[in-house]
Amino acid sequence: MIGSVGFAQQVTDTITINEPKENNKKFKFKQLIIPTVLIGYGVIGIESDGLKFVNSGIKEEVNENIDEKITIDDFSQYLPAASVYGLNAIGIKGKHNFKDRTIILGTSYLLMSATVLSLKSITKVERPDGSGFNSFPSGHTATAFAGAEFLWQEYKDVSVWYGISGYIVAAGTGAFRIYNDKHWLTDVVAGAGIGILSTKVAYWINPFMQEKIFKSKEKKTASIMAPFYNGKQYGIGFIKTF
């Protein structure tokens, strides 16, 4: 890692980010455990007969007991991230100002989208409903969990319930992807891990981003572009901060 990253003395599992004292943070490798396990489960499931059997069992239950599809997941995937801006708009301040949190979110979406699109093109897993060969991982779920981790990071010091509610919405988004016969369980689990990890990394490298890319002595605008994929369309998101 290049940039303003130093190694703490006599600590083997901690990296210290050189930020101002009032906002100094530490990245601990144990933060990677949950997203790594989730991603690993999904990757193993691509070839594991046992996990494929679980996927098929869930699909059969869905097809037998559900007739009408509900596409709320097309909207709920964005709700956790949007909640951060909504809470700030009504006066409940989070950890970062508009510019900084927008840079963090844009970085997270960039990392998440690049990972999801790359894996879809490499793995070519068929969707449960047979509509395509881009099932793994779930982009909707990755987007939702990236937003949930964003909400958690911004508001966990205000109230843990904000973060918990974001994760509930994200989990619901993943469940609806299975409900709508668009993804296997392994797709959803891997998507959740990718989303969480993308946002964690975005916070980790934010000091470097601020110092090397967005630092300005004069009043200028800063912009960031990030690709996205919502399960149906590809596109590019544009974020501009003032």
Side-chain angles (χ1 to χ4, degrees):
M1 177 68 66
I2 61 174
S4 54
V5 178
F7 293 91
Q9 295 182 354
Q10 298 180 347
V11 178
T12 59
D13 66 343
T14 302
I15 295 177
T16 302
I17 305 299
N18 296 326
E19 294 184 72
K21 291 183 178 180
E22 66 272 16
N23 196 30
N24 191 276
K25 301 184 185 302
K26 292 181 179 180
F27 179 88
K28 296 182 179 180
F29 286 105
K30 66 181 181 181
Q31 297 179 24
L32 299 177
I33 294 175
I34 292 177
T36 300
V37 169
L38 295 175
I39 295 170
Y41 176 88
V43 172
I44 293 172
I46 296 175
E47 298 295 337
S48 169
D49 291 336
L51 295 183
K52 286 181 179 180
F53 179 78
V54 173
N55 283 342
S56 298
I58 294 174
K59 172 182 168 57
E60 290 176 4
E61 287 294 324
V62 169
N63 291 341
E64 287 178 3
N65 298 293
I66 298 175
D67 296 323
E68 185 177 353
K69 307 303 181 183
I70 302 175
T71 58
I72 190 174
D73 43 300
D74 287 338
F75 306 98
S76 64
Q77 62 176 320
Y78 302 112
L79 184 57
S83 296
V84 173
Y85 293 90
L87 288 168
N88 274 272
I90 63 175
I92 304 175
K93 302 301 181 182
K95 188 174 296 182
H96 292 88
N97 60 33
F98 178 85
K99 173 187 174 182
D100 292 344
R101 68 174 177 268
T102 301
I103 291 172
I104 291 170
L105 182 61
T107 303
S108 172
Y109 276 0
L110 176 63
L111 295 171
M112 179 270 296
S113 299
T115 303
V116 168
L117 292 175
S118 296
L119 288 174
K120 283 180 179 292
S121 65
I122 293 171
T123 58
K124 299 185 184 301
V125 176
E126 186 176 12
R127 290 183 182 271
D129 64 355
S131 62
F133 288 85
N134 58 348
S135 189
F136 182 88
S138 169
H140 281 65
T141 308
T143 299
F145 274 88
E149 179 66 17
F150 178 54
L151 178 59
W152 170 261
Q153 292 292 339
E154 289 296 310
Y155 281 96
K156 63 182 179 181
D157 295 332
V158 178
S159 173
V160 295
W161 291 107
Y162 290 123
I164 291 173
S165 64
Y167 270 101
I168 290 174
V169 172
T173 300
F176 272 108
R177 296 308 286 164
I178 297 173
Y179 176 97
N180 289 324
D181 209 23
K182 288 297 184 181
H183 284 288
W184 308 102
L185 174 63
T186 45
D187 302 337
V188 167
V189 172
I194 291 169
I196 294 170
L197 182 60
S198 297
T199 298
K200 285 185 179 295
V201 172
Y203 275 92
W204 183 19
I205 66 176
N206 183 55
F208 170 79
M209 299 282 291
Q210 295 284 359
E211 178 68 21
K212 300 299 182 181
I213 301 177
F214 295 100
K215 185 177 181 181
S216 176
K217 294 182 180 180
E218 300 177 359
K219 186 177 180 181
K220 297 180 179 179
T221 61
S223 303
I224 186 170
M225 298 181 70
F228 73 87
Y229 176 72
N230 66 6
K232 296 180 180 179
Q233 299 93 18
Y234 297 89
I236 297 177
F238 179 77
I239 301 171
K240 189 170 185 178
T241 59
F242 299 88

